[in-house]
Amino acid sequence: MSATENEAQTAPGTAQFRASGRTAGPASSTEDAELLAALGYEQKFDRKVSLWANFALGFVYLSPLVGVVSLFAVGLATAGGPAIFWIGLVGIGQFLVALVFGEVVSQFPLAGGLYQWVRRLWNGRYAWFTAWTYICCITIGITSTALFSSDFVASLFGGTADQPGISSTPAERLWIALGMTVFCLICNCFGTRTLALISKIGLAAELIGIVLVGFYLLIFERHNSVSIFLETSSSTHDHYFGAFIAASLVGLFLFYGFEACGEIAEEVPNPARSIPRAMQLTVAVGGLAAVFAFIGYALAAPDLPAILSGEDSNPIPSILQSSIGTVGTKLVLLVTLTSFVAGVMSQQAAASRIVFSFARDNMFPGARLFSRISRRHRVPLNALLAVNIAPVLLFVFVYYSPDSLTKIAAFQMLAGYAAFMMVVLAALRMRLKGWRPAGAWTLGRWGIVVNVAALGYGLLGMVLLAWPTGDSATAFVDRWIALIGFLVVSAVGLVYLLTAKPERNSTAPEGDALEVAERLRSRAALITSTTGGTNA
């Protein structure tokens, strides 16, 4: 019996791929295409995203520079300097989640990430709800990132030496967010190569904005003592414990986006090995960069009491103006704006790939339309356009309700953590059923321990995100807005899921994680035996 015939028995899809006469795309290796075929899909994307480009994509999605400049004032006003510790605490927890994701994506390096993972780890219905939750999260992520950029754009083009940090008006915020979204959408339409290039530019911009500016602030512009990171006082809470818990948003809002590395798995060469590494690098390097930036800005703040009291809600431009002057401030704001562009682009790309993957399995309304790939640039153009409709509508909503931006962001993070924990829970469930990850990267005997720890951390994070904000004078809906928003979106998804039953129409390849793991092990053993171990 020939090697190809043997492989047809152990890895259905691989032999069919070869027999069909299809060849991998111009930037795709035969091995990657055969692994994809073994998982039941045909290679359609070009694999042009290298390990470093994939890391850059996750890094600019997480964007420590954007996260710190957006949350710096909120953290200090809520709990003072010790708010910085949440970056480390959340970073450790999310690194555990990234390790679990790494094992799963190594076995299932498929476009659409979370949806594809949980479909194999649980079932189609569970996968549909996970994907619904996650798509809502990313859609609002596009909205909040574009809107948060407005003050920095306003400061870049309208700030003065006397008033470097200015807040955009509702009308300016609307037009800036629209312009940002449309520009990023156009760039994304030019394909994976453009996405990878801008991700790398964004990574370089982030590192310049954090490392060079951070070092300068720490060495030449220190106005405050490092003791501020140990001073436990708050002007917004009667008891410091409550203030410190409220400041958890500094870390919880910052550490997400590493999963985007897996959303474009079918555009990455050797994804089973490179994507887990990219995820881990995203969390580790992003966390260290965020801590460094937070320390630099806090120690260089010329009027720290104004930030702690909440009087100065946009202090970064003022800190830069007093430290590096008008020209330097404009350059750093330009770098920050580059990071915003890369961040929005990566969110659009991640959302479009999960919609494409959803539609490819006939699990999404208009599946035939959204599963199409453009011929020239090899992108899911219709899906890319679709994921930007809701952000545009939300821009208009925020225009008429300017105070709703933070409420939208609160729901976004709770939905994101819920989707993450659905993956972690599904992985733990499958482990207890005997699943041993069969990808090129695994945790080995530590898998179950890390999985349980990641689930515990994630559930704690969800509790903190759902916890009521404000005080007794704050309206009930405003205090519980994150949880209420999450429950409403979940209810809508469940109603559709239970009435339309989209999983019944699924054309997805069969086989759960256990079956696929054995199939991949058999495939690996076959390759080893036919090549003498050189490709093991």
Side-chain angles (χ1 to χ4, degrees), residues 473-498:
T474 306
F476 177 84
V477 172
D478 289 339
R479 295 191 68 204
W480 293 93
I481 189 63
L483 181 59
I484 292 174
F486 175 71
L487 292 176
V488 169
V489 169
S490 297
V492 172
L494 284 173
V495 169
Y496 179 85
L497 179 62
L498 297 176

Side-chain angles (χ1 to χ4, degrees), residues 512-523:
D512 63 12
L514 284 167
E515 296 170 353
V516 174
E518 292 306 314
R519 185 189 306 166
L520 294 180
R521 286 193 181 92
S522 299
R523 178 179 180 273

Side-chain angles (χ1 to χ4, degrees), residues 114-115 118 125-135 354 418-420 422-423:
L114 273 70
Y115 157 70
V118 294
R125 179 171 292 190
Y126 185 85
W128 191 96
F129 187 73
T130 302
W132 162 257
T133 305
Y134 184 63
I135 290 172
I354 196 170
F420 279 20
M422 289 178 194
V423 177

Side-chain angles (χ1 to χ4, degrees), residues 119 134 162 166 180 184 224 226 228 296 332 359 379 455 468 500 506 534:
R119 188 182 67 77
Y134 184 63
D162 296 330
I166 61 176
M180 172 75 71
C184 293
N224 305 299
V226 293
I228 64 173
V332 173
V379 294
L455 182 61
S506 176
T534 57

Side-chain angles (χ1 to χ4, degrees), residues 6 141 149 240 316 327 382 386 398:
N6 269 330
S149 72
Y240 185 75
I316 300 298
V327 175
N382 294 330
V398 173

